[in-house]
Amino acid sequence: IAISLFGFSVEDSFAYPVFAQQGYSNPRAANGKLACANCHLNQKAIEIEAPQGVLPNSVFEIEIKVPYDVNRQQISADGKPADLNVGGILILPKGFKLASKKQISPEVKAKNKGVFISPYSTEFDNILVVGPIAGKTHQELIFPVVAPDPDKDADVKY
């Protein structure tokens, strides 16, 4: 699992995941650099909680904690100080993908209220993108993920 989290934005840059999605068919370059690094210079220590093992076709959560000083601010589009935004790219092994709305528990839906997580593209549905969202209220990002089913896809091995 590869993770990139960004927490600062640069004024006058097109620093939203949709711009990375439009400009890069694959968010990871051959050298391992993620598309986010082209606009965001921040590297932040994060904590990841994920299960050690999952059953086929089961839904589980990957929780990413983004601890930072909530008193720090960024410059907003109108030039005034504003709270920081957070976001990130979660790269999962092939076959793993975002759980459908029907598969997500009401508890996780409540935790993720106001958070829109989407696949990077139809080609890379194992790469999930979130943000930018308000960092003050979202220092924990929860990704509901569904494991692949080897009975339905012979290419899946785990």
Side-chain angles (χ1 to χ4, degrees), residues 18-25 120:
V18 69
F19 294 114
Q21 289 167 305
Q22 291 171 353
Y24 303 91
S25 61
Y120 188 80

Side-chain angles (χ1 to χ4, degrees), residues 73-148:
Q73 293 192 312
Q74 66 183 358
I75 304 299
S76 66
D78 64 4
K80 296 179 182 171
D83 293 334
L84 291 179
N85 292 326
V86 296
I89 293 179
L90 173 65
I91 301 177
L92 300 165
K94 293 268 185 207
F96 289 79
K97 59 185 178 183
L98 182 65
S100 69
K101 288 183 182 183
K102 293 186 288 186
Q103 294 174 303
I104 301 171
S105 71
E107 178 185 280
V108 173
K109 285 180 184 177
K111 289 180 192 175
N112 275 351
K113 187 174 183 179
V115 177
F116 182 71
I117 302 170
S118 65
Y120 188 80
S121 67
T122 54
E123 182 183 358
F124 295 107
D125 61 354
N126 64 312
I127 301 175
L128 307 179
V129 179
V130 63
I133 56 177
K136 227 176 207 177
T137 55
H138 295 98
Q139 287 192 314
E140 293 180 5
L141 304 172
I142 299 171
F143 292 83
V145 176
V146 64

Side-chain angles (χ1 to χ4, degrees), residues 23-84:
Y24 303 91
S25 61
N26 186 337
R28 177 164 278 200
N31 65 2
K33 179 179 155 185
L34 293 172
C36 302
N38 292 319
C39 297
H40 301 281
L41 303 176
N42 186 30
Q43 291 183 356
K44 188 70 185 152
I46 59 170
E47 297 175 29
I48 302 171
E49 289 184 24
Q52 293 296 313
V54 294
L55 296 172
N57 202 33
S58 63
V59 177
F60 61 96
E61 298 172 20
I62 296 178
E63 184 176 338
I64 301 171
K65 295 179 182 174
V66 190
Y68 72 90
D69 181 1
V70 294
N71 295 318
R72 297 192 77 179
Q73 293 192 312
Q74 66 183 358
I75 304 299
S76 66
D78 64 4
K80 296 179 182 171
D83 293 334
L84 291 179

Side-chain angles (χ1 to χ4, degrees), residues 3-26:
I3 310 253
S4 171
L5 290 160
F6 48 87
F8 298 101
S9 108
V10 179
E11 188 175 4
D12 294 327
S13 73
F14 297 111
Y16 292 97
V18 69
F19 294 114
Q21 289 167 305
Q22 291 171 353
Y24 303 91
S25 61
N26 186 337

